[in-house]
Amino acid sequence: MVEPILEIQGVRKTYSARRSLFGRSAAVDALKGVSLAVTPGESFGLVGESGSGKTTLTRSILRLEAPTAGRILFKGEDMARLGPKALRTLRARIQIVFQDPYASLNPRMTVEEIVSEPMLVHRDILRLDRAGRRDRAAELLALVGLSTQHLARNPHEFSGGQRQRIGIARALAAGPELLLLDEPTSALDVSVQAQVLNLLIDLQDRLGLTYLFISHDLAVVRYLCDRVALIHSGVLVEEGPTREIFDAPQSDYARMLLGAAPKVRVPPATPSG
Ligand SMILES: Nc1ncnc2c1ncn2[C@@H]1O[C@H](COP(=O)(O)OP(=O)(O)OP(=O)(O)O)[C@@H](O)[C@H]1O
Ligand SMILES: [Mg+2]
């Protein structure tokens, strides 16, 4: 059996009760013992309704949150046990593409600065000088279907789809193995969504990437993912090959999500967007 690239073992996350202007908020059990394993090279879909715990899980994988209990292993290594240097190295291997390409790109930075930032953060691993970073940024733009001419521009000069391409180029800059894609196309026009999805499929083939793809759009998940897990109120309720989940959903929750799925058909690839 192939060793998983990512293993989530019994992860719990409780946000503690807090006092606010409006009184005391109750503690929230955002994850209640989630376990799953992602195999190298696959596209694993995590689907659930709003508030089910998807982003909490991504934040835990990136160690932006410390799980209340359970373990997260990357290539067999428990992330909680790594020292600061090893954790930094590992962070280069796991990158995220955010939902909203309008909010996630700093408007005051040029595309070159945005795409080069991870190379600076991880310069001890990548060891690129200024010229090297520039060449690599140009290479990355070509990879996502943009051009060298775009390097000196600012995010506001681009369409939503182009911005998400810049976000993807940034996520690839440090040479990751695993990409966390948190609703990467849900803020885009339907016409552009398919182009960005096709780009992701193409990049996965070319670069041998592993995807953890988070979405509540089942049409998108069906198009992109090999396996799917359904999460409901912090609990995984169903998991399996995408085709099986769609053809023979076992739980009411799965049937509810499938019933609620919009009938979107993803058209074939067309260049740029
Ligand atoms: N920092 C926080 N403090 C307290 N509660 C939180 C915090 N972040 C998330 N929660 C709560 O944890 C639960 C899971 O939230 P999470 O953001 O992981 O859901 P989600 O599945 O990503 O939802 P969406 O599809 O809307 O993005 C929700 O009840 C949410 O209100
Ligand atoms: Mg979320």
Side-chain angles (χ1 to χ4, degrees):
M1 211 195 103
V2 195
E3 192 195 15
I5 186 167
L6 177 73
E7 256 182 295
I8 315 275
Q9 300 179 338
V11 167
R12 294 179 164 276
K13 175 68 192 180
T14 304
Y15 292 108
S16 46
R18 270 193 304 221
R19 263 188 314 176
S20 75
L21 212 52
F22 309 105
R24 204 175 165 76
S25 65
V28 177
D29 290 319
L31 298 172
K32 303 170 189 161
V34 169
S35 299
L36 58 87
V38 179
T39 308
E42 79 171 332
S43 228
F44 190 98
L46 182 65
V47 180
E49 58 193 0
S50 186
S52 55
K54 304 180 298 293
T55 296
T56 303
L57 190 65
T58 7
R59 291 178 57 80
S60 307
I61 294 166
L62 294 166
R63 284 212 77 72
L64 300 172
E65 305 278 2
T68 312
R71 299 198 306 166
I72 298 180
L73 312 182
F74 183 77
K75 294 183 155 180
E77 281 206 87
D78 185 345
M79 295 178 61
R81 302 177 79 108
L82 297 175
K85 186 154 185 274
L87 186 61
R88 264 228 321 273
T89 308
L90 187 139
R91 282 211 163 117
R93 304 269 171 265
I94 308 177
Q95 294 285 311
I96 183 162
V97 176
F98 296 97
Q99 173 172 11
D100 184 352
Y102 292 87
S104 62
L105 305 178
N106 184 334
R108 280 181 295 277
M109 287 166 79
T110 64
V111 171
E112 180 178 350
E113 286 165 343
I114 291 169
V115 174
S116 302
E117 199 172 41
M119 304 180 217
L120 280 169
V121 173
H122 297 292
R123 58 181 166 266
D124 49 335
I125 305 167
L126 297 166
R127 299 177 184 287
L128 292 171
D129 61 10
R130 203 189 162 90
R133 289 196 298 271
R134 203 194 155 87
D135 289 348
R136 175 92 182 117
E139 236 172 69
L140 287 162
L141 283 198
L143 200 59
V144 300
L146 296 172
S147 84
T148 316
Q149 294 161 20
H150 294 126
L151 282 171
R153 303 210 189 143
N154 295 102
H156 72 264
E157 298 176 57
F158 294 91
S159 69
Q162 289 175 321
R163 284 181 207 217
Q164 199 54 305
R165 289 170 191 268
I166 297 165
I168 293 168
R170 173 177 60 187
L172 296 176
E177 295 171 56
L178 174 65
L179 281 195
L180 310 179
L181 300 148
D182 193 350
E183 302 260 9
T185 60
S186 62
L188 305 177
D189 283 356
V190 176
S191 61
V192 180
Q193 281 184 10
Q195 291 165 10
V196 173
L197 289 175
N198 284 322
L199 171 67
L200 288 170
I201 290 171
D202 179 47
L203 289 172
Q204 186 174 33
D205 281 351
R206 286 163 74 167
L207 306 175
L209 298 166
T210 307
Y211 289 164
L212 179 59
F213 190 90
I214 288 150
S215 184
H216 41 243
D217 187 339
L218 282 162
V220 164
V221 166
R222 185 174 207 172
Y223 187 61
L224 194 93
C225 298
D226 308 303
R227 285 196 299 145
V228 188
L230 306 182
I231 184 169
H232 179 48
S233 302
V235 180
L236 285 197
V237 291
E238 202 162 329
E239 192 203 317
T242 306
R243 163 123 26 114
E244 281 176 25
I245 300 277
F246 278 85
D247 289 353
Q250 299 297 306
S251 60
D252 286 344
Y253 185 61
R255 281 186 286 271
M256 188 276 285
L257 288 175
L258 290 169
K263 301 282 180 288
V264 176
R265 292 215 307 149
V266 183
T270 45
S272 82

